[in-house]
Amino acid sequence: MYFPEVKNHPDKYLQRCPESVKKWLKQLKNAGKILLLITSSHSDYCRLLCEHVLGSDFEEYFDVLITNALKPGFFSHTPNQRPFRTLENDEEQEALLSVDKPGWYSQGNAIQLYDLLKKMTGKLDPKVVYFGDSMHSDIFPARHYSNWETVFILEELLGDKGTVPAKAESEPLEKKGKYEGDQLKVPYFVSKQWGSFFMDRLPGLENAEETLVHTWSCKCISTYSTIAIPSLEAIADLPLDYRFTRFSSNSSATAGYYPSPPRALLPNEDSVTMK
């Protein structure tokens, strides 16, 4: 029932891409960047979503489109285990021994994709920045197996919002992102059942005080992400040469959150203990 329902009522389930993000994608491509779309969805479903979200010309935004990628296996499988295949009327065709030109493909693996990027860029070691919203399917495998830079799109940042740190306030006005000014009103809140996505409370023994610790998810973010953002819209208005602070740039657990760390991770709350 799922696919027919989405197909018949896309407006009910899909949000159209903001114009700022579409403009940002075009700017990246005009600046000579190679844009990839990698999804585990099959080509027909990808086409349905992209036509509604980006428009009928969505293919023009990307140089390479890969569907049925079977992430996270796309990053861990070898070419023999998961070869690329061509498509004809959304039907998969013969397996390819190599991929030597941009286009639309099915299945595949990161090893042969990287070989294609070497050919397209003329560089022996092209840098890849991979955007994803799943730690399991996107961020961890892209960093662990391919050693790509990773940008974690994390909606939970909208529900645990902190203030912009003083260092970020020193950026020139023209380099400020969409969410760096007034706090955004969003329909995301800290879960009343689970609490913060980023911090957890450990009960003390007997009469000891409770302590605050980073959640497992929070530790994964700083370990496998280059930066974490609430949405693509949050960075779409920034100049293409904007320099983000990486998680690995210092020992701070909040360095890579943009535009600001979640409130639960701010220093004045890290040391809080509760009776």
Side-chain angles (χ1 to χ4, degrees), residues 13 15 19 21 31 45-46 58 105-106 108 110 112 116 125 155-156 158 162 170 173 182 225 250:
Y13 303 102
Q15 296 182 12
E19 288 300 318
V21 175
Y45 187 60
C46 172
F58 74 92
Y105 299 96
S106 186
Q112 288 181 313
L116 172 61
D125 187 25
E155 286 186 326
E156 282 80 2
L158 294 175
S170 65
L173 182 61
D182 297 333
S225 307
N250 54 49

Side-chain angles (χ1 to χ4, degrees), residues 169-186:
E169 291 290 355
S170 65
E171 287 283 2
L173 182 61
E174 66 272 14
K175 285 201 170 188
K176 287 187 177 294
K178 181 166 185 175
Y179 297 151
E180 286 194 57
D182 297 333
Q183 297 298 303
L184 183 69
K185 295 181 179 179
V186 291

Side-chain angles (χ1 to χ4, degrees), residues 138-158:
D138 297 313
I139 303 305
F140 168 77
R143 172 61 62 83
H144 180 73
Y145 294 106
S146 299
N147 198 31
W148 290 354
E149 304 287 358
T150 53
V151 179
F152 193 14
I153 302 174
L154 185 64
E155 286 186 326
E156 282 80 2
L157 283 175
L158 294 175

